[in-house]
């Protein structure tokens, strides 16, 4: 639906490398609506909740350390097929496999420094939005919508 929402996050390497604007611009230009945005230096405890499904992986400790190493930019983008299209815009998890033209395929090389996060299912998107934006999102009318959707 046009109201589908996804949680997109610029990771600490993306912030340090000055890619926040680039990533926002891609979602804006695609036609998605920005309904929440914040810069936050997350705690390891918060990040362990975000990545709870990966707790058993060998790279988990390194992942949490990296994600807690600097501020991230969390965003909620809304629009048609936002979760699946958001993942397609990010590219494959390992940047060496990400298609050129995707965010990771254009700006990253290493799986442990892949600059962005995107929810993988609608259910996980709702969980992640609740975790990062307990205060809620901001709904508003976008006057361009009749030019984006039939
Ligand atoms: P994605 O971020 O594409 O949803 P994921 O949820 O499987 O991928 O993993 C979360 C993050 O963990 C991923 O963006 C980078 C890191 N990661 C995944 N697999 C890894 C690996 N084999 N070695 C190091 N880091 C890894
Ligand atoms: Mg994931």
């Amino acid at each position: 639906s046009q109201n589908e929402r996804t949680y997109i996050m610029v990771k600490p390497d993306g912030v340090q490398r000055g890619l926040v604007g680039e990533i926002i611009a891609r979602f804006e230009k695609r036609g998605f609506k920005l309904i929440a945005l914040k810069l936050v230096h997350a705690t390891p405890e918060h990040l362990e909740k975000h990545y709870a499904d990966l707790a058993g992986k060998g790279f988990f400790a390194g992942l949490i350390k990296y994600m807690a190493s600097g501020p991230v930019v969390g965003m909620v983008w809304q629009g048609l097929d936002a979760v699946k299209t958001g993942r397609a815009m990010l590219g494959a998890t390992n940047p060496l496999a990400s298609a050129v033209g995707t965010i990771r395929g254009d700006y990253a090389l290493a799986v442990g420094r892949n600059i962005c996060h995107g929810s993988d299912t609608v259910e996980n998107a709702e969980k992640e939005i609740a975790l990062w934006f307990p205060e809620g999102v901001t709904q508003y009318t976008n006057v361009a919508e009749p030019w984006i959707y039939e």
Side-chain angles (χ1 to χ4, degrees), residues 11 50-51 53-54 57-60 62-64 66-67 87 90-95 104 110-120 128:
K11 295 179 177 181
H50 173 79
Y51 280 126
D53 294 351
L54 299 174
K57 302 282 185 185
F59 58 81
F60 187 70
L63 174 64
I64 298 301
Y66 150 59
M67 290 297 297
R87 294 280 295 187
L90 261 51
T93 302
N94 186 339
R104 289 165 174 167
V111 69
R113 295 290 184 273
N114 64 2
I115 68 171
C116 51
H117 165 84
S119 309
D120 59 354
E128 291 168 5

Side-chain angles (χ1 to χ4, degrees), residues 28-143:
E28 263 190 324
K29 289 175 191 172
R30 187 69 191 258
F32 290 113
K33 184 199 278 187
L34 182 64
I35 58 170
L37 173 74
K38 70 165 66 149
L39 178 86
V40 53
H41 195 149
T43 63
E45 293 71 31
H46 185 85
L47 292 159
E48 282 165 12
K49 285 181 197 159
H50 173 79
Y51 280 126
D53 294 351
L54 299 174
K57 302 282 185 185
F59 58 81
F60 187 70
L63 174 64
I64 298 301
K65 194 175 172 199
Y66 150 59
M67 290 297 297
S69 67
V72 298
V73 173
M75 303 173 256
V76 182
W77 290 93
Q78 179 174 300
L80 191 63
D81 216 8
V83 169
K84 194 163 157 240
T85 302
R87 294 280 295 187
M89 291 167 69
L90 261 51
T93 302
N94 186 339
L96 293 180
S98 308
V100 170
T102 66
I103 295 165
R104 289 165 174 167
D106 286 350
Y107 302 116
L109 290 170
V111 69
R113 295 290 184 273
N114 64 2
I115 68 171
C116 51
H117 165 84
S119 309
D120 59 354
T121 63
V122 172
E123 192 190 350
N124 283 338
E126 290 304 321
K127 280 189 205 163
E128 291 168 5
I129 292 165
L131 177 66
W132 290 91
F133 292 97
E135 68 276 27
V137 300
T138 302
Q139 292 293 355
Y140 59 96
T141 302
N142 176 348
V143 296

